[in-house]
Amino acid sequence: DIQMTQSPSSLSASVGDRVTITCRASRSISSYLNWYQQKPGKAPKLLIYAASSLQSGVPSRFGGSGSETDFTLTISSLQAEDFATYYCQQSHSTPGTFGQGTKLEIK
Amino acid sequence: EVQLVESGGALVQPGGSLRLSCAASGFIFDSYWMSWVRQAPGKGLEWVANIRRPGSEEYYVDSVKGRFTISRDNAKSSLFLQMNSLRAEDTAVYYCARGGTVTYFDYWGQGTLVTVSS
């Protein structure tokens, strides 16, 4: 199975900050990398697919980059509604493993 | 509007069985892979199983192989998860999601809680 490792596990930031979350795959997954946002008590929401494609309706302050084994999710200017947990997920092969999550908290 | 609505979650004893359902609407159901993803209390997301569009291929995470069976009824736009020999570690919110192998999960249901406890 492909292992997905996110860093950091938690992050404190302020509104307006630029934030970067990284995700590393245990072997190459090309660009089969997706990012999700989850708020407490809610289902996850797709933000980015295929490493860098923005899902319809997602604000442009969210961006994704990377390929092969190293990927990043960047939020260019944090808004209050962005404080949540973020997960990466590889869809290169079954099982479609998720990273352990990054909890983004208000500083 | 795409909607996925899960049902069937309950409190069940270890060793028991449960069948989850997911009613889909707003899209052509039999054109998509479908999946189940779970989340144990306070933990991260774990992909559980998926099924190909015509339902001829199924895949499972190792921890549920031989105990869980995913199926679909394309005529009724419904997805199912039959869970047998349930264990305490199967306790989680189970989400139905559109997508599967080589694709992303672009729509999710609200989840249904399965609690395995005596």
Side-chain angles (χ1 to χ4, degrees), chain B residues 8-49:
Chain B
L11 171 63
V12 61
Q13 292 189 338
S17 297
L18 209 56
R19 189 190 196 211
L20 305 184
S21 300
C22 171
S25 61
F27 65 101
I28 302 173
F29 183 73
D30 60 7
S31 294
Y32 291 86
W33 283 80
M34 295 296 296
S35 299
W36 289 97
V37 178
R38 68 183 177 183
Q39 186 169 36
K43 302 297 185 182
L45 300 168
E46 180 183 40
W47 171 86
V48 174

Side-chain angles (χ1 to χ4, degrees), chain A residues 27-106:
Chain A
R27 61 179 173 87
S28 175
I29 57 170
S30 184
S31 295
Y32 290 95
L33 191 283
N34 313 304
W35 291 98
Y36 302 87
Q37 176 194 67
Q38 188 180 33
K39 296 182 179 180
K42 300 295 186 181
K45 172 187 174 183
L46 177 67
L47 298 176
I48 302 285
Y49 62 94
S52 60
S53 295
L54 192 68
Q55 173 69 349
S56 176
V58 174
S60 58
R61 62 181 179 272
F62 290 92
S65 64
S67 65
E68 307 298 338
T69 60
D70 293 299
F71 302 87
T72 60
L73 172 70
T74 299
I75 310 173
S76 60
S77 179
L78 269 176
Q79 301 301 301
E81 60 267 31
D82 300 337
F83 291 95
T85 299
Y86 293 84
Y87 294 93
C88 63
Q89 180 245 343
Q90 63 85 13
S91 51
H92 177 273
S93 55
T94 299
T97 39
F98 290 87
Q100 81 279 14
T102 295
K103 188 173 183 179
L104 180 53
E105 299 175 305
I106 300 173

